[in-house]
Amino acid sequence: MSAHETVEIAGHLMDHGILSLVLDDIREYGGDYTIDRFDVGRETDDPSHAVITVTAEDDEELQRLLMRLQTRGVNQVDPGEATTAEADRDGVFPDGFYSTTNLDTRVRVDDRWLDVENPEMDCGLIVERDAGGAATRVYTLPMSDLRVGMQVVVGASGVKVSVPTPDATGGAFGFMESEVSSEKPHAVLVRQVADGMREAKAEGKKVLWVGGPGVVHTGAAPALVALVHAGYVDVLFAGNALATHDIESALYGTSLGVDLAMARGVEHGHEHHIRALNTIRREGSIRAAVDSGVLTSGIMHALVTHQKSYVLVGSVRDDGPLPDVYTDVIEGQRAMRAQLPGVGFCIMVATTLHSVATGNILPASIPLVCVDINPATVTKLADRGSSQARGIVTDVGLFLEQLAVELVPGYRRS
């Protein structure tokens, strides 16, 4: 092995198993290592620090390894300067481009460090320069938005990442040391999620919700409506299904043809969702249906009347879909990214695909809580790189009811 680099990492390396993961990554990428220095924290709250020399067959393999290690918060001891290459085709990064993490990132260009705007995983880093050639900004960009002539960072040199501390991500993480919480006191978990939302609002930040149709199917829509009224829902990411079944419930009292009050199927109930879709399509949009008085209740009605934002992105399974739904997923991604500035807390309920999609574009510094009856949903988030994701395994309907009780004065569902 001819290429090598000295790297370092600090944090709770032993009790969180981070050092073991780093060494596993080195081996998985065909590299080798020597631990040059390892200072173990003496007290529970003391961080540890490791200095490691990593080696690989050649520089190309070493650069890939260094990029992988940065997803764990590993940085080069001497990062040097970033190197850029010009994109020669739309939508195609230059060979060896730096593949980003969702961690706070800085890039050294022209002998000065620039903070990377909008940290996001699995993107490229673009360096912009002024008319005099001086670097003015660095930002992440998805492959689909790359254009010829853009300057793209290649290799891992000149890039440093920072792993958020529990304090930096807010008090909402203090109650969950494990990725998935299923046996901890439920009332305590609800209260501490509520505290995370209160903290975000107190700091003037937005609360982002990511929801699936289970919110409606479990009968929890009134709780979410109450949270919208109380100001704890600023943005909603969802698919065609949540909005469609919410509107079906508002127009017909059913969800998937099941009477939500009586918990039983109704005659011709299977038609209700498609008739609800047709009603909104005739109006032209959800907002137009609210303005005309056709839609008078439900989650979507509450979002429109309180002038809150929502982004609905569809899939190949969708009926209709609603006229508000993005059927071009690239445009849907862009619409979702446009809503992220100012978000200070994210909660995901009863959806796997939209949770993973949102986790892919969220910076690691934003507290992220996932509530689902299926623990695999949170596991998938963590596996895809959303290391800040923490989960509560429970019935979503029960959780939202209790969260509304905690956050909305006087809330009691009849």
Side-chain angles (χ1 to χ4, degrees):
M1 295 195 177
S2 59
H4 62 88
E5 187 65 61
T6 303
V7 298
E8 62 181 344
I9 183 172
H12 295 285
L13 307 183
M14 300 297 290
D15 48 354
H16 290 179
I18 298 172
L19 182 59
S20 177
L21 294 173
V22 168
L23 301 183
D24 287 346
D25 285 343
I26 295 172
R27 288 297 194 185
E28 182 180 335
Y29 274 64
D32 203 351
Y33 64 87
T34 301
I35 298 178
D36 303 321
R37 178 178 174 183
F38 187 27
D39 299 323
V40 181
R42 300 178 65 87
E43 305 296 334
T44 304
D45 295 334
D46 291 342
S48 299
H49 178 253
V51 177
I52 306 169
T53 296
V54 296
T55 56
E57 283 191 8
D58 52 41
D59 188 64
E60 181 179 349
E61 292 299 315
L62 179 64
Q63 294 303 313
R64 290 185 63 246
L65 174 55
L66 293 174
M67 292 181 212
R68 170 60 184 175
L69 296 182
Q70 283 202 314
T71 67
R72 310 286 188 193
V74 178
N75 288 304
Q76 298 176 56
V77 172
D78 182 11
E81 284 263 334
T83 302
T84 62
E86 185 175 299
D88 58 3
R89 292 178 61 185
D90 287 351
V92 181
F93 289 127
D95 291 342
F97 72 94
Y98 180 85
S99 178
T100 59
T101 73
N102 61 354
L103 301 172
D104 286 345
T105 305
R106 293 186 299 155
V107 177
R108 191 178 186 184
V109 188
D110 301 335
D111 204 30
R112 66 190 184 101
W113 288 99
L114 296 176
D115 290 333
V116 172
E117 301 171 19
N118 54 288
E120 180 181 333
M121 70 177 75
D122 301 331
C123 290
L125 288 175
I126 307 302
V127 177
E128 279 194 2
R129 298 179 181 275
D130 61 20
T136 56
R137 61 188 289 239
V138 183
Y139 59 94
T140 60
L141 190 74
M143 172 183 307
S144 57
D145 290 346
L146 186 71
R147 297 293 176 263
V148 169
M150 288 183 169
Q151 294 294 317
V152 183
V153 174
V154 294
S157 296
V159 181
K160 295 188 73 171
V161 299
S162 301
V163 178
T165 64
D167 289 342
T169 54
F173 283 161
F175 67 99
M176 286 189 271
E177 294 301 326
S178 59
E179 288 180 350
V180 181
S181 299
S182 58
E183 298 180 354
K184 298 178 182 179
H186 189 76
V188 173
L189 296 178
V190 172
R191 188 173 306 115
Q192 292 177 327
V193 171
D195 286 343
M197 292 185 176
R198 291 189 184 104
E199 290 173 13
K201 299 301 292 184
E203 294 171 1
K205 296 180 179 180
K206 299 185 293 187
V207 176
L208 167 64
W209 286 73
V210 185
V215 173
V216 180
H217 303 335
T218 59
L224 188 53
V225 168
L227 290 165
V228 175
H229 290 322
Y232 288 101
V233 182
D234 296 295
V235 185
L236 173 69
F237 289 171
N240 185 60
L242 182 148
T244 296
H245 294 299
D246 170 65
I247 293 168
E248 176 193 341
S249 174
L251 297 180
Y252 296 101
T254 61
S255 178
L256 285 176
V258 175
D259 188 316
L260 293 173
M262 305 297 292
R264 59 179 175 80
V266 298
E267 187 175 5
H268 305 302
H270 65 282
E271 301 175 357
H272 288 177
H273 82 283
I274 199 71
R275 295 191 182 281
L277 283 164
N278 198 58
T279 298
I280 303 302
R281 289 173 70 90
R282 179 179 291 112
E283 294 296 315
S285 69
I286 295 172
R287 178 173 295 279
V290 172
D291 292 342
S292 67
V294 168
L295 183 62
T296 59
S297 63
I299 299 168
M300 304 311 298
H301 174 268
L303 291 170
V304 169
T305 55
H306 286 276
Q307 298 184 0
K308 301 301 182 181
S309 300
Y310 54 87
V311 179
L312 308 177
V313 183
S315 75
V316 72
R317 303 168 300 175
D318 290 339
D319 291 324
L322 289 164
D324 305 69
V325 171
Y326 287 91
T327 55
D328 182 327
V329 294
I330 299 300
E331 291 300 322
Q333 289 174 6
R334 291 171 181 151
M336 292 167 67
R337 289 187 180 97
Q339 294 296 331
L340 295 185
V343 169
F345 191 93
C346 178
I347 180 167
M348 302 173 168
V349 289
T351 177
T352 299
L353 296 180
H354 272 77
S355 292
V356 171
T358 304
N360 286 350
I361 64 174
L362 275 181
S365 57
I366 296 178
L368 167 56
V369 175
C370 179
V371 185
D372 205 289
I373 198 67
N374 184 1
T377 298
V378 164
T379 302
K380 287 180 180 179
L381 278 172
D383 288 346
R384 289 298 301 269
S386 300
S387 57
Q388 82 273 35
R390 297 297 180 266
I392 301 173
V393 180
T394 189
D395 176 79
V396 169
L398 175 63
F399 179 87
L400 290 180
E401 285 290 321
Q402 294 184 338
L403 187 63
V405 169
E406 183 68 32
L407 287 171
V408 183
Y411 176 80
R412 287 293 186 275
R413 186 180 173 191
S414 59

